[in-house]
Amino acid sequence: MTDAPATPDSAPDTPTPRRNPKPEKTTINGRELTPTTLMMGHGYDPVLSEGSLKPPIFLTSTFAFPSAADGKRHFEGITGKRAGGAEGLVYSRFNGPNQEILEDRLSIWDGAEDALTFSSGMTAICILMMAFVSQGDVIVHSGPLYAASEGFVAKVLSKFGVTYLDFPAGATREEMEAVLEKAKDQAANNGGKVAMVYLESPANPTNALVDIEAMKAARDAVLTPDCPIAIDNTFLGPLWQRPLKHGADIVVYSLTKYVGGHSDLVAGGISGAKRWMDPVRALRNTMGGIVDPNTAWMLLRSLETVELRMQRAGENAAKVCAFLRNHPKVDGLGYLGFIKDPRQQDIFDRHCSGAGSTFSLFVKGGEAESFRFLDNLTIAKLAVSLGGTETLASHPAAMTHLSVPDERKAALGITDNLVRISIGIEDPDDLIADFDQALAKV
Ligand SMILES: *Cc1c(COP(=O)(O)O)cnc(C)c1O
């Protein structure tokens, strides 16, 4: 960011180049601007970057201080000698302009005070958990979780004396209170505390919803507010579920999915109040794991269309599921638009503003029939992941959940005839034609 060219003395009427950011407007005549509008410009002033309308990609490992005293002040903020954190940019393991704009924009979607971004969803989840646990502590989590999250708790944190208790996603407030009481006893026995409640809703691959409001009530009744409730909101966020409004403290994303949205990057994010973000930022400063500037720039582009893309994908999924619902070769759908359980429907009505575009399709038959269906799809690509512009299909029992023991698979309903589908933004009638011809070959 260099100075704009000096104004020639001979042109006194030429306005002086301005180098300070314009104060940002987030309301007009008392109207609060929506996240959709703010995604086009929030947190970036072209004046600071030679008038470049879009933020440049800042490929630099370090940032020059205006003076030695400024350098000292920055480090006092980073090391915690002075409250309030860094006041400017210091070093690219800590932060950079692209990442800061991205974090400002991500926090807007969740109505959060602060946000942090990472090199992957799993980096976000691992650093988040590590920032809050000590030896002897207990993590309480809903089940199922994304397999790598579950593995990190059970196989990695356990090496450091951290234990866990899990409860089924659909649990009632009473069941949640019971597991929290048990966790409190377990923590007391181990000389620790209940360090975090970690939820994933909807859960992968069952789409089971967790009652966030009930968990907040249970946490407040049994534990102290020092134990944060974090929730992986990858499947419905940031558009269709805003968990901070329902009592969660921290929202977690794999930005690889709907937010990135083009299946061309891997990244993660968390958002919440500064009090929860600060310890995570400190650990990220130490470990690294911040998203790189190029990926952050791509995510800024993605955020400009996230609402458009998610809306279209959601409408497409509704049309495709309406077609699949009564198809003779289909044995059921796990789609949030067609919930059968009244308690799950109640959670959906309170927490969600859309059914998403990722669902399970149960093909009549078993693995052979499901594979025939998958192998005959022409538009939908055969790949794991979700939330991209293109439609993807996969077979959890044989792919993402292959290593899950058979009893747990059965308990979670991960059967051999389950096909996982993420609907993209193609023409919905083309997608229906593709599913129809592939089902005909089953
Ligand atoms: C993909 C995913 C993750 C992990 O994110 P990465 O970006 O792949 O590291 C975590 N949680 C959920 C629900 C996911 O779908």
Side-chain angles (χ1 to χ4, degrees), residues 120-122 125 146 200 232 234-235 254 256-257 266-267 386:
S120 74
M122 282 316 303
I125 292 165
Y146 184 73
E200 183 175 309
D232 185 331
T234 298
F235 277 78
S254 167
T256 312
K257 312 295 168 55
V266 175
L386 58 118

